[in-house]
Each structure stands twice: as C-alpha cells, then as structure tokens.
Amino acid sequence: MLKKLFFVLLLSFPILVFAQNKDKIAIAIHGGAGTIKKENLTPELEKAYHQALDQALEAGYAVLEKGGTSLEAIETAIKILEDSPLFNAGKGAVFANNGKNELDAAVMDGKTGKAGAVAGVTNVKNPILAARAVMEKSEHVMLTGKGAEEFAQKQGLEIVDPSYFRTESRFQQLEKARKADQDTTGSIELEKAYKYGTVGAVALDQYGNLAAGTSTGGMTNKKYGRVGDAPIIGAGTYADNQTCAVSCTGHGEYFIRAVVGHEISALMKYKKYSLKKATETVIFDQLKPIGGEGGLIAVDKKGNVSLPFNSLGMYRGYKKANGEKKTAIF
Ligand code: ASP
C-alpha cells in the first residue's frame, strides 16, 4: 500500500512541478527607447505601435502557454517585430553612414549559458534567426559581416536583397543626420528619436528557463562598421537561469561600457537585489549620470518583470500567467 502511494506520488511529481511553473510563465518585449514625444505621434501611428507590440506579445506568450521554450517564445516575438517596418530592426532598420542597413542581433539561453550573435549583416531577413543558428549550429558566439552572411545562407536562412530593409522615413533620417554632421554652427538639433530603435524580448518558460534576445539596425549614421550593445553578450543581451534575462535599448556605447545585462545579473546574484532594484539601479544610478540614455526589459526566475527607462519613452509590453498584460509607449 505504502509502495503504491510512493509510486503515485513519484509519477505525479513532474506534473505538480510543471503545473506550478506554468503559473509563472512571462514574456516582455521592447521596440526601442528614446525621445519619443506624444506630439510627434499621430493617433494612427500610436495605434499601429500598440497593435504591433500586442501581436508580438501574444504570439510569444502563446508559445509559452503551449509548452514551448523561452527561446522559441522570444524568437517568435522578435521575428514579428523585425518584419514590422515600424521598428529599427529587420525591415525598417536605420541606415549607417554608408547608406546601408547593417544589422546586429543576439540571443542567450539562460539554462545552458550558451549565446549566439551576428553583427553588421546586410542581407539576412531575420538576424535573430541567424543569432540563434550561431548559438546552436556553430562553435562560435559572434560572427560578423560577410562571414555571418555566408553562415546564415548555409543554414538555409532567408536571404534578401539589401533593398528589402529600406524604408523612406529611415532614409530621410540618415539624410538629416548627415547634414547635422556637416553643420559646424550646431544649429541642426538632431532628434534623438531618430537615433534609437531596436527590438528585444525576454521570457520565462514553464520549465523554469530564461532567455533573452535583441535585434537592431543600430544607430542612424553609424560609421566604420560600428557595432552597438545589442549583440554584445553581457551588455545589451544577457540571460542566466539563476538570476534574470535582460534585453536593452538605447545609446549602445554607454550600455557596453556599463556592461548592463551582466551588471544587473551580478547585482542579483552577489548582492541579492530584487529584479526591480537591480534594473532600476543600473538604469537610473549608473547609466543616467554618465549620459547613457535608454531602457531595458527584464524577467527573473520567479516571473517578475521590470521595464525601466530613463528616456522620454520606450515601446514596450509584457504578459504574465496571472493575467497581467500591458503595452505602453510613454
Ligand atoms: N542600442 C542600440 C545600439 O546602440 C540602439 C537602440 O537601442 O536603438 O545599437
């Protein structure tokens, strides 16, 4: 009798564990931070942003709900944001000074500590898929430029003509930035909104695994093969099952110097900070004083989410198993 009871308990244990963890699944996404002013957004555009964020959020959450992994969920959400011309990633990416769209992306798996990234790719339709392929199908962490493109092609990923990424509004932003570059009087005030963008997602799945991913066109008018924080593991993208998953957006140079993703994880790991305290400490106390404008999204192993930013706005959203859900801009 006792033996029977033991077996019943043993068999139901995994079910109990999964059931418990299903209550904690969570996903958060961002579509970039910066000087986003309400007066610059028409009601139609504002609605379009909310709709795109909502679509990505729901698609990512559905993956988690069906028992998919956090990696699958973030990839699903990011791919939707990359395909939308509204965001500075994939189609709609900003232009580098040379008139090209040079894309960066990264993913990190909090369970294994494995990571993959691509930088400066110009013809891979969904750079986030290339980043994941680097993580899973190569012995490297980061591939750049032509090599990354060759690898993506060999992996069977969709390759497009570079003109696919072009949108007229982004090209106008480049023209404006180029003019500001040549202007010695300083009379051309460049809207910082023109500079930032980026998309990202972080998630916790029902198996207790965290994952983070980020994809971007970088910053308008970037030069000399500049690479931002997004594909730098530990800076713009980081995940560790013991602590949290983080994806950043903002002025990349500052995020690299402050090693933002890893810093948040370290504050939680060694100083036992909560997710909220760790993320807000880095955004407001470390980045803001040095002029590092931007924000981030993060989720911890308990399913808490935090989405702090020190800029005027950040396109963002999250959904949790307890029914909490929100998309916001300001
Ligand atoms: N962080 C990105 C970069 O510096 C830009 C952004 O988030 O908009 O490349």
Side-chain angles (χ1 to χ4, degrees):
M1 176 67 194
L2 216 66
K3 217 169 168 187
K4 223 175 180 180
L5 194 71
F6 175 75
F7 274 116
V8 170
L9 277 176
L10 196 73
L11 284 175
S12 58
F13 182 69
I15 296 165
L16 287 174
V17 168
F18 284 153
Q20 193 189 15
N21 283 339
K22 207 171 173 191
D23 295 346
K24 289 186 191 158
I25 56 173
I27 183 165
I29 59 170
H30 70 76
T35 314
I36 309 164
K37 292 184 188 152
K38 203 168 171 71
E39 59 263 33
N40 292 348
L41 279 186
T42 61
E44 295 76 43
L45 197 55
E46 198 175 328
K47 199 170 152 211
Y49 272 113
H50 278 289
Q51 273 173 353
L53 288 169
D54 193 70
Q55 193 198 345
L57 202 56
E58 288 296 343
Y61 191 83
V63 171
L64 295 174
E65 213 174 21
K66 281 189 211 123
T69 65
S70 49
L71 267 174
E72 286 160 355
I74 59 153
E75 182 184 287
T76 300
I78 292 174
K79 197 167 167 285
I80 289 171
L81 297 170
E82 283 182 337
D83 291 343
S84 164
L86 291 173
F87 304 100
N88 171 20
K91 182 155 187 72
V94 299
F95 282 85
N97 179 265
N98 60 10
K100 292 184 180 170
N101 303 106
E102 299 174 344
L103 313 169
D104 305 335
V107 291
M108 187 158 185
D109 178 357
K111 179 184 171 195
T112 59
K114 285 189 175 170
V118 292
V121 295
T122 60
N123 66 2
V124 182
K125 184 172 181 234
N126 292 106
I128 198 69
L129 302 185
R132 186 159 176 204
V134 172
M135 176 173 85
E136 289 173 348
K137 312 249 171 68
S138 86
E139 67 268 39
H140 305 299
V141 170
M142 180 186 273
L143 302 180
T144 66
K146 289 271 167 280
E149 290 170 358
E150 196 186 317
F151 173 78
Q153 187 159 20
K154 277 195 180 145
Q155 293 305 317
L157 298 182
E158 191 171 347
I159 302 297
V160 291
D161 188 88
S163 62
Y164 161 79
F165 299 107
R166 183 192 167 101
T167 53
E168 200 42 42
S169 61
R170 294 294 190 197
F171 196 72
Q172 293 308 322
Q173 290 168 7
L174 172 65
E175 297 281 44
K176 200 169 169 190
R178 279 173 171 163
K179 273 200 196 107
D181 249 7
Q182 285 155 9
D183 171 50
T184 46
T185 64
S187 60
I188 303 180
E189 237 306 338
L190 245 204
E191 274 283 356
K192 284 185 183 145
Y194 290 155
K195 293 198 149 194
Y196 308 143
T198 292
V199 307
V202 292
L204 173 70
D205 62 30
Q206 58 180 279
Y207 317 106
N209 294 322
L210 293 165
T214 315
S215 180
T216 187
M219 287 171 75
T220 300
N221 202 27
K222 62 185 182 180
K223 302 177 180 89
Y224 313 116
R226 177 264 190 193
V227 174
D229 60 311
I232 309 289
I233 300 305
T237 306
Y238 193 70
D240 178 351
N241 264 10
Q242 288 185 64
T243 53
C244 62
V246 182
S247 169
C248 302
T249 171
H251 196 148
E253 277 68 11
Y254 295 90
F255 282 70
I256 294 173
R257 287 184 214 147
V259 205
V260 170
H262 187 265
E263 178 74 1
I264 290 166
S265 172
L267 286 172
M268 294 177 72
K269 193 167 174 180
Y270 303 118
K271 282 196 145 187
K272 307 291 170 216
Y273 278 20
S274 67
L275 182 79
K276 185 171 160 43
K277 189 172 175 191
T279 51
E280 290 180 357
T281 297
V282 173
I283 286 292
F284 299 111
D285 302 345
Q286 298 187 11
L287 280 170
K288 182 110 179 139
I290 57 168
E293 192 184 32
L296 60 86
I297 51 168
V299 57
D300 70 11
K301 57 183 178 178
K302 293 182 202 137
N304 296 306
V305 297
S306 179
L307 303 84
F309 54 97
N310 63 31
S311 48
L312 273 189
M314 178 167 85
Y315 301 103
R316 63 198 184 279
Y318 70 90
K319 184 166 178 177
K320 293 166 63 164
N322 65 5
E324 260 182 71
K325 179 189 164 183
K326 191 177 174 178
T327 60
I329 302 176
F330 307 103

